[in-house]
Amino acid sequence: RMRRALAEFAYSTSRSWHSVCTGSWPPLRSVSSQQSRSMAPPGEPKEHKEASTVRRDTLLAIQTAAQQRWEAAKVFEVDAPETGTVDMGKFFGTFPYPYMNGLLHLGHAFTISKLEFACAYHRLCGKRVLFPQGFHCTGMPIKACADKLTYELTTYGVPPKFPTDEERAAAAQVAALADSTINGAPELKDPTKFAGKKSKAVAKSGNAATQWGILKLSGIPEDDIPQFRDPLHWLGFFPPLAKEHLSLMGCGVDWRRSFITTDANPYYDSFVRWQFWTLYRLGKIIKDKRNAVFSALDGQPCADHDRATGEGVGPQDYTLVKMEAVNLEGKLAPLANVGRVFLLAATLRPETMYGQTNCWVLPEGQYGAYRGLNDEVYIMTERSALNMSYQENLPVRGQPECLLKLTGQDLIGTALRAPRAVHPIIYVLPLLTILMNKGTGVVTCVPSDSPDDYIALLDLKKKPKLREKFGVKDEWVLPFELIPVIDIPGMGDRVAQVLCEELKIASQNDTAKLAEAKQRAYLKGFTDGIMIVGPHAGRKAAEAKGLIKDELLAEGLALPYAEPEKQVISRSGEECVVALTDQWYITYGEEEWQGLTRRALDGMETYSDEARNSFNHTLGWLKAWGCSRSFGLGTRMPWDEQFLIESLSDSTIYMAYYTVAHILQEGDMYAAVHGAIKPEQMTNEVWDHIFLDKAAPADCAIPTPLLQRMRQEFNYWYPFDLRVSGKDLIGNHLTMALYNHTSIWSDRPDLWPGSMRCNGHLLLNSEKMSKSTGNFKTLAESVADYSADATRWALADAGDTMDDANFETTTANAAILRMTRELAWIEEVLAPGAGLREGEPSSLSDRIFSNAVSIAIIQTKDAYERMQFRDALKAAAYDLSIARDAYRLQCGPEGMNRQLVVRYIQVSTQLLAPITPHTSEHVWGSLLGQPGSVLSSGWPVADTPDFVMQRASQYIEDMIPTLRKVIQRAETPVRKKGAAEPPAQRVVKGTIFVAERFVGWQEVTLMALAKAYQPATKDFASDVFSQVVTAVKADDSMAGKSEKDVKSAVLPFAKFKMEEAVKVGRQALDVKLPFDECQLLLDNQAYLMRALRLEVLDVALASDVAAVAALTFPVDVTTAYPGAPVTSFTLEPVAQA
């Protein structure tokens, strides 16, 4: 009943949202007149509001028609071919199913676009393409949102009346005052410091950060929001909208295979249970008690996807050294009869404890004395005490008992007995740089090996007024000198002092230098240091560290302790701790399993070295992973049903489930109605048969044809060829997916992942997307604002590396203008009377343009294959249209060739189909009248490209703006001060002088550069200038010249040619151009005269003495060289009207 209700609700939601998107309901957010005007593409006149979206609306109409056509033809629904069917290959790509706790936004769309473009490209090439998409509902995100909404409505009413900004600020100030009061006395503050800004900033976050506000911004009516207190309501509401919005974007998804996770879907639930039974049987899942990042509010470990902040953060292990207070005096007197009192100092270097000279606290820091085990009392911060209580180091889990509140100043001067210290008594001293959000707030001082400790102790010794300020007596400080503990070859046994003196660190204020010294001291001490004290003298410090820690723990002189490496906030809004938890773990990091997974990584395409390095790094640190939870949504651990499987662990091989989902769920993402196969029939043995090629169970109730069909689907589609994802998932999901594949299919490397392609995050107009700042856009909003194709264009242009990409709204608007102008041009040239030239292409301009089309085909294909979609867009849209515009100008009054124009339209339509499928479909069918769909029309065939011709053509196109500038300068006479206005003149004739080849020292320079050129990197050897100068000095043309003169003449030319070679390659270093420059100019003489508006244009060789002598305006033809001719212009007065 629950599943049927979810499905019915999802259907009604989808229809309602479709009404919103098609305009029969009010829009999600009103569009101001300013925003409406911004819809007009750049370069268009600012029309009135009603007419400003005509171009965009044209694309939306084309989009709707194309999507209706695709839906009717079921073009994205694809099955494994029947035996004997002609097959051109398959492509199976996936995107991690998104969490269904909100609408899909442009960040989702950016990553999905990478998969969508790749799938569309391979579909265009004739492959069977499978792009399925499920939706993730497992774990805490949905439950946390529902719980947050419940709290808001319980606390503030329905609808909620949240506090105003002023009320929040007042409450924050009251809380700050309460926090600053200790033991009934207000803490003294520096009156010059203002401490209220942070609380006010937090207070001004307003209602946008509330769950109510977030749902309201998502377009949900206020009357409907209370229903979201039920987590299952989210499952029925958001997945259909995600499907709707991805369809609006034009994604080629086979929606028959869509599903939601959790036990609300019994088929997927059965699949995950089988996966875990398989891992359990293989010994990959064990039960153990280990430290894990833990949400006290949720009462369970907080995995990466259960976190609002702190993804990837793990526990940091410390040793807490128990420093016993000898005399309980002053503020410590109330503890005299409670038990032994210890200051707990957190350290990462227990091997250095022999060198302790004192203990540090933060004078204004807030501390407490907490009841410990065995009648002991521990002094530390409240935060660290809470962590300890979850690690079985305090009497009551989660409830540290504070016996006495203290400040650091209360502790200064306390005499201590420190484990392993040479001094029988050391004292508590002030340190102003202690971070109270790290460790326990108590720090032991080892000045021989810690630069921070050395400088701080030196400051106290040298500055009597500093001691006086904090009430420090001389005898607590002055007698204590450095105690050598570790000898480092080349640095001695006082590394902190050596580094501080070397770096000239004068005080604790030299923070940057101290950070450098600390890093060097720790690294060298740990890797090269040799212990020189204690029973482990002679051992390497790295070896002694663990031994000394174990000894301190065994003797009761220390306690184990862990806390999150950085702050972690759960989705429930609480700061997490580290807790010792008894749960199920997947044994990632196991040596043999890790080796197999590294082998899978070696055979997998990652598309960048950065991604591969990130995978290798993750494989190096990822160890046992807690895979069980007590609360949330999901699948029960099959052998221990008190636990749920956490959200990252049920998401590692579900790509295999896509291959059979449509057969099991019959196209219903909720599996509300069970068809020919019942969930209970999907036993472990049946899953083994489908995925592991084991024999079908003898008592299987599933019809044999259906079993065979499921096996056929899996065997055809698997492995997946591509998985796209944000780079942040390398540290968990993607690496875990590799691990699970190499375990479940350990003997089938052919079923391991084919490739994983990762990208950075998406910025919106160069700023981070944020709902609170308003710089945020959902996928549906973007499609409504710009159309699907303009959105896809801007996504393709946003970037293809692992750096953060940038979605520019100006690019989307420009795409609207570009596409609609192109449509208008196509309609114009295909209409009768367009002035096109009939017959076969025959002219030089025809050949150049045809060659440009072939090169665009090749370059675009190469870009799609490399998944460099910005490069594909450049080649298919920008470069090819530039070639078309140049061709149109070159043809002049004769007109363009009809065959070539039609070929250009067909090719550009096909090349852009993966990025702008709706517009391409319209051109293909409605304008070109081609049969079928452009989506599967086949990759266009290219003629053999002539790159020399391309270079020659570019030479001509570059020549025109260069000569225009020269002509402009020639026609602008210099006006002398006080003189009359010179008569206007115009250039009527030009003579271009061409050099056939580089000669003399230029030729020698090029030969030397070619020798130093490195093709792999398009760079030069480090000593390239030395090679060039040496070669040129030996040339006869430089005989008798000094080295300075040689460099002055040669190096500017060499640098210029080197820059050119970096751009275009080795050909820039040739002594002759690969084409006849003189003949090329003569062949394009008419085109150049039209473009430059010249009456006469002559071309001659620089060696033609007669041509040079005949010039009216002489020029130095010796400065001409290949690719850079010299031009002389003839001017005559402009006739006066």
Side-chain angles (χ1 to χ4, degrees):
R1 285 198 301 272
M2 178 187 71
R3 286 189 294 274
R4 188 174 292 109
L6 280 174
E8 291 172 355
F9 173 74
Y11 175 72
S12 64
T13 300
S14 177
R15 288 182 62 82
S16 299
W17 196 273
H18 181 72
S19 299
V20 172
C21 292
T22 53
S24 59
W25 280 17
L28 289 181
R29 58 188 178 96
S30 62
V31 179
S32 68
S33 59
Q34 181 179 359
Q35 288 173 315
S36 180
R37 285 194 298 272
S38 73
M39 305 283 187
E44 287 292 284
K46 291 189 176 179
E47 304 165 6
H48 56 82
K49 179 179 177 181
E50 291 75 17
S52 63
T53 62
V54 171
R55 291 180 180 274
R56 191 256 343 248
D57 294 344
T58 298
L59 295 180
L60 286 174
I62 289 172
Q63 170 185 315
T64 300
Q67 290 178 5
Q68 290 174 348
R69 191 177 307 123
W70 299 336
E71 175 63 26
K74 307 297 182 187
V75 296
F76 303 131
E77 294 182 6
V78 59
D79 295 311
E82 298 292 337
T83 304
T85 303
V86 176
D87 184 43
M88 295 179 65
K90 63 92 175 178
F91 184 82
F92 175 20
T94 63
F95 164 77
Y97 40 31
Y99 277 117
M100 289 293 96
N101 60 339
L103 300 176
L104 299 181
H105 53 69
L106 276 179
H108 293 109
F110 175 62
T111 303
I112 289 171
S113 72
K114 306 302 183 186
L115 174 61
E116 163 64 11
F117 298 154
C119 286
Y121 162 70
H122 287 287
R123 186 183 296 113
L124 180 63
C125 291
K127 292 182 180 179
R128 291 177 185 268
V129 173
L130 177 57
F131 176 3
Q133 189 59 60
F135 303 108
H136 206 189
C137 305
T138 304
M140 286 300 296
I142 291 174
K143 185 179 185 304
C145 292
D147 290 348
K148 185 179 179 183
L149 181 64
T150 299
Y151 169 78
E152 291 172 2
L153 300 188
T154 302
T155 305
Y156 302 111
V158 182
K161 290 182 171 54
F162 294 109
T164 64
D165 289 348
E166 291 74 16
E167 290 169 339
R168 283 191 180 90
Q173 288 177 344
V174 170
L177 180 61
D179 288 343
S180 68
T181 303
I182 304 165
N183 295 334
E187 182 188 4
L188 295 177
K189 295 286 186 179
D190 185 339
T192 64
K193 294 181 179 178
F194 176 63
K197 286 188 177 179
K198 184 175 181 182
S199 60
K200 286 188 178 180
V202 172
K204 288 186 178 180
S205 61
N207 296 338
T210 65
Q211 192 60 54
W212 176 276
I214 291 170
L215 291 171
K216 192 174 177 180
L217 284 173
S218 298
I220 300 169
E222 286 193 0
D223 291 345
D224 294 343
I225 293 178
Q227 299 177 68
F228 287 84
R229 289 176 289 189
D230 178 6
L232 293 180
H233 188 75
W234 299 67
L235 273 63
F237 187 85
F238 283 110
L241 292 182
K243 174 184 175 182
E244 180 83 17
H245 298 166
L246 288 173
S247 297
L248 283 173
M249 182 181 167
C251 292
V253 178
D254 184 347
W255 289 114
R256 300 173 304 155
R257 301 173 189 257
S258 185
F259 60 87
I260 65 164
T261 65
T262 78
D263 53 6
N265 180 345
Y267 295 101
Y268 187 74
D269 185 64
S270 172
F271 168 76
V272 174
R273 291 168 70 92
W274 164 77
Q275 175 192 352
F276 269 69
W277 269 121
T278 303
L279 293 172
Y280 185 68
R281 289 195 302 262
L282 293 169
K284 304 301 184 186
I285 300 180
I286 61 171
K287 196 170 189 183
D288 199 2
K289 208 169 193 178
R290 303 186 184 194
N291 280 327
V293 176
F294 187 86
S295 169
L297 186 62
D298 298 331
Q300 62 181 1
C302 186
D304 276 2
H305 284 188
D306 299 330
R307 302 173 185 179
T309 62
E311 187 168 337
V313 174
Q316 172 67 66
D317 293 319
Y318 291 90
T319 302
L320 296 188
V321 180
K322 296 169 67 175
M323 312 176 80
E324 186 172 8
V326 177
N327 300 313
L328 301 177
E329 301 171 343
K331 291 293 182 71
L332 297 180
L335 301 174
N337 298 317
V338 179
R340 298 170 68 191
V341 178
F342 297 90
L343 275 72
L344 298 185
T347 182
L348 297 171
R349 302 194 63 189
E351 73 277 12
T352 65
M353 291 304 98
Y354 296 98
Q356 295 177 87
T357 58
N358 61 278
C359 170
W360 300 116
V361 293
L362 182 68
E364 68 269 24
Q366 309 301 310
Y367 297 84
Y370 294 89
R371 190 181 301 280
L373 302 175
N374 305 317
D375 295 325
E376 294 180 343
V377 177
Y378 304 142
I379 295 177
M380 63 182 75
T381 60
E382 180 182 9
R383 182 193 57 80
S384 56
L386 183 63
N387 272 274
M388 278 192 69
S389 71
Y390 281 100
Q391 296 164 30
E392 300 182 356
N393 282 328
L394 295 183
V396 182
R397 183 178 175 88
Q399 298 179 30
E401 181 186 357
C402 185
L403 304 174
L404 182 64
K405 288 188 176 181
L406 300 159
T407 68
Q409 187 63 51
D410 297 334
L411 299 171
I412 291 174
T414 302
L416 305 173
R417 278 193 290 268
R420 298 294 188 269
V422 172
H423 297 288
I425 296 294
I426 61 174
Y427 296 91
V428 178
L429 299 177
L431 181 65
L432 304 182
T433 57
I434 289 177
L435 299 176
M436 298 299 281
N437 60 351
K438 282 283 187 184
T440 60
V442 179
V443 180
T444 186
C445 175
V446 183
S448 58
D449 290 83
S450 167
D452 289 311
D453 290 345
Y454 172 77
I455 287 295
L457 187 60
L458 204 60
D459 273 353
L460 274 176
K461 286 190 172 192
K462 293 192 303 184
K463 299 175 180 178
K465 287 189 176 181
L466 183 61
R467 300 198 295 273
E468 180 182 346
K469 178 180 178 180
F470 294 106
V472 176
K473 296 180 180 180
D474 290 354
E475 57 266 29
W476 300 344
V477 182
L478 299 181
F480 296 88
E481 300 295 337
L482 274 64
I483 301 169
V485 179
I486 298 172
D487 181 70
I488 301 174
M491 302 184 79
D493 55 15
R494 291 174 174 82
V495 64
Q497 179 180 352
V498 169
L499 288 173
C500 287
E501 291 174 354
E502 175 187 324
L503 297 174
K504 295 182 173 57
I505 300 174
S507 73
Q508 297 175 68
N509 295 326
D510 292 336
T511 54
K513 291 181 179 180
L514 277 171
E516 179 187 348
K518 180 179 179 180
Q519 182 181 11
R520 289 172 59 185
Y522 184 84
L523 180 64
K524 296 295 290 184
F526 185 77
T527 57
D528 301 335
I530 304 295
M531 297 293 297
I532 58 175
V533 295
H536 301 292
R539 282 183 180 270
K540 295 197 71 171
E543 299 172 5
K545 177 177 180 175
L547 298 173
I548 294 173
K549 176 180 178 177
D550 292 343
E551 291 168 0
L552 290 170
L553 295 174
E555 296 171 31
L557 301 176
L559 293 168
Y561 172 72
E563 65 184 26
E565 296 166 311
K566 298 177 182 176
Q567 186 185 63
V568 176
I569 303 295
S570 74
R571 290 187 182 268
S572 300
E574 175 208 37
E575 184 173 356
C576 292
V577 296
V578 167
L580 199 58
T581 55
D582 189 14
Q583 62 167 320
W584 292 98
Y585 290 87
I586 301 178
T587 58
Y588 298 132
E590 179 186 276
E591 186 176 355
E592 183 178 350
W593 194 8
Q594 185 191 84
L596 204 60
T597 306
R598 287 191 182 277
R599 181 179 151 201
L601 176 61
D602 290 342
M604 183 181 78
E605 175 61 68
T606 61
Y607 297 96
S608 76
D609 291 339
E610 184 180 356
R612 187 170 299 281
N613 292 338
S614 295
F615 274 109
N616 276 311
H617 175 70
T618 302
L619 285 171
W621 65 259
L622 182 61
K623 304 299 178 186
W625 182 268
C627 60
S628 58
R629 297 291 179 265
S630 300
F631 305 103
L633 304 175
T635 293
R636 295 282 168 184
M637 195 70 71
W639 59 87
D640 192 355
E641 296 208 354
Q642 66 174 310
F643 291 109
L644 289 158
I645 297 170
E646 65 92 25
S647 60
L648 279 166
S649 299
D650 79 340
S651 313
T652 53
I653 63 164
Y654 69 88
M655 310 82 175
Y657 182 77
Y658 280 132
T659 64
V660 298
H662 61 307
I663 301 172
L664 296 173
Q665 300 184 202
E666 297 186 346
D668 176 12
M669 73 166 73
Y670 293 98
V673 178
H674 305 156
I677 302 175
K678 305 296 184 274
E680 59 270 18
Q681 294 173 336
M682 295 304 297
T683 63
N684 287 343
E685 291 74 23
V686 171
W687 290 115
D688 285 346
H689 173 63
I690 296 169
F691 294 136
L692 302 182
D693 203 27
K694 294 185 178 180
D699 57 350
C700 182
I702 301 172
T704 299
L706 285 178
L707 278 178
Q708 291 176 342
R709 185 181 167 202
M710 286 192 286
R711 285 194 61 190
Q712 181 184 11
E713 286 283 324
F714 174 73
N715 288 331
Y716 178 76
W717 291 114
Y718 231 65
F720 62 82
D721 300 282
L722 171 67
R723 188 158 183 79
V724 299
S725 170
K727 62 183 178 182
D728 51 307
L729 292 191
I730 294 177
N732 44 59
H733 161 72
L734 296 177
T735 303
M736 292 175 183
L738 279 177
Y739 262 115
N740 278 264
H741 277 81
T742 59
S743 175
I744 291 175
W745 292 286
S746 59
D747 59 342
R748 292 288 307 276
D750 58 310
L751 296 180
W752 296 350
S755 72
M756 292 185 183
R757 201 258 194 214
C758 299
N759 52 258
H761 302 294
L762 184 71
L763 304 176
L764 178 56
N765 294 326
S766 302
E767 294 182 4
K768 182 179 179 181
M769 281 208 296
S770 170
K771 292 179 182 176
S772 62
T773 63
N775 191 51
F776 187 82
K777 193 176 284 288
T778 66
L779 171 56
E781 287 173 335
S782 185
V783 172
D785 287 350
Y786 310 114
S787 79
D789 280 358
T791 294
R792 293 166 67 115
W793 185 296
L795 289 170
D797 188 69
D800 293 306
T801 69
M802 284 181 63
D803 295 329
D804 288 348
N806 185 33
F807 183 97
E808 289 278 2
T809 55
T810 54
T811 300
N813 274 322
I816 295 173
L817 177 61
R818 190 180 191 96
M819 285 186 285
T820 52
R821 280 182 169 173
E822 186 74 3
L823 288 174
W825 179 81
I826 292 172
E827 291 175 358
E828 180 184 332
V829 297
L830 292 181
L836 298 181
R837 175 166 36 94
E838 303 294 342
E840 293 293 321
S842 58
S843 69
L844 173 63
S845 56
D846 290 344
R847 295 197 303 274
I848 289 174
F849 183 46
S850 178
N851 184 61
V853 171
S854 293
I855 289 175
I857 294 171
I858 292 168
Q859 291 181 337
T860 306
K861 183 178 183 63
D862 174 68
Y864 279 131
E865 290 285 349
R866 294 183 291 110
M867 294 193 69
Q868 295 295 307
F869 302 114
R870 177 184 274 176
D871 289 349
L873 187 65
K874 178 180 180 295
Y878 297 105
D879 292 350
L880 189 52
S881 66
I882 288 172
R884 184 271 317 271
D885 292 342
Y887 175 56
R888 182 166 46 182
L889 292 173
Q890 289 167 8
C891 290
E894 294 181 0
M896 298 179 288
N897 179 268
R898 179 177 296 279
Q899 290 185 28
L900 281 181
V901 168
V902 172
R903 172 166 165 74
Y904 160 80
I905 296 171
Q906 290 178 340
V907 168
S908 64
T909 299
Q910 290 173 299
L911 297 187
L912 283 172
I915 296 173
T916 58
H918 308 90
T919 309
S920 293
E921 189 73 88
H922 173 71
V923 173
W924 188 258
S926 301
L927 302 185
L928 290 173
Q930 293 288 338
S933 171
V934 71
L935 304 185
S936 54
S937 59
W939 189 257
V941 177
D943 296 329
T944 301
D946 186 340
F947 291 103
V948 172
M949 180 181 287
Q950 181 194 37
R951 187 177 173 188
S953 173
Q954 190 61 49
Y955 168 90
I956 293 295
E957 295 307 313
D958 291 343
M959 174 76 71
I960 292 171
T962 300
L963 291 181
R964 278 176 180 162
K965 291 179 182 178
V966 176
I967 291 172
Q968 184 180 17
R969 288 197 300 269
E971 291 179 341
T972 307
V974 178
R975 180 177 180 178
K976 296 181 180 180
K977 187 175 181 180
E981 180 83 22
Q985 299 184 93
R986 69 184 184 94
V987 173
V988 294
K989 176 184 177 182
T991 305
I992 302 175
F993 290 93
V994 174
E996 293 183 280
R997 61 176 290 135
F998 288 101
V999 295
W1001 64 263
Q1002 290 180 332
E1003 181 177 2
V1004 175
T1005 298
L1006 289 172
M1007 293 173 65
L1009 288 174
K1011 186 177 179 181
Y1013 182 70
Q1014 299 171 334
T1017 59
K1018 280 192 174 182
D1019 206 346
F1020 291 83
S1022 58
D1023 64 341
V1024 58
F1025 291 128
S1026 175
Q1027 292 186 41
V1028 168
V1029 171
T1030 301
V1032 172
K1033 283 174 64 179
D1035 186 68
D1036 292 341
S1037 63
M1038 290 293 176
K1041 292 191 176 183
S1042 68
E1043 184 168 326
K1044 181 179 179 180
D1045 291 338
V1046 171
K1047 288 182 177 180
S1048 178
V1050 171
L1051 292 187
F1053 174 75
K1055 289 176 181 178
F1056 171 76
K1057 297 304 289 185
M1058 287 169 64
E1059 290 171 0
E1060 192 177 359
V1062 169
K1063 291 178 183 177
V1064 304
R1066 167 66 177 75
Q1067 63 191 24
L1069 306 177
D1070 293 339
V1071 295
K1072 288 185 66 175
L1073 293 180
F1075 53 85
D1076 188 330
E1077 187 176 1
C1078 190
Q1079 188 60 48
L1080 178 68
L1081 289 168
L1082 289 171
D1083 290 343
N1084 284 274
Q1085 197 172 28
Y1087 171 43
L1088 290 170
M1089 289 170 64
R1090 283 198 311 273
L1092 299 174
R1093 297 180 180 179
L1094 293 175
E1095 296 176 5
V1096 179
L1097 181 64
D1098 295 333
V1099 181
L1101 292 176
S1103 57
D1104 187 338
V1105 177
V1108 174
L1111 288 176
T1112 306
F1113 296 90
V1115 292
D1116 184 3
V1117 297
T1118 62
T1119 61
Y1121 56 86
V1126 170
T1127 307
S1128 172
F1129 291 109
T1130 300
L1131 293 94
E1132 64 180 31
V1134 176
Q1136 299 297 318

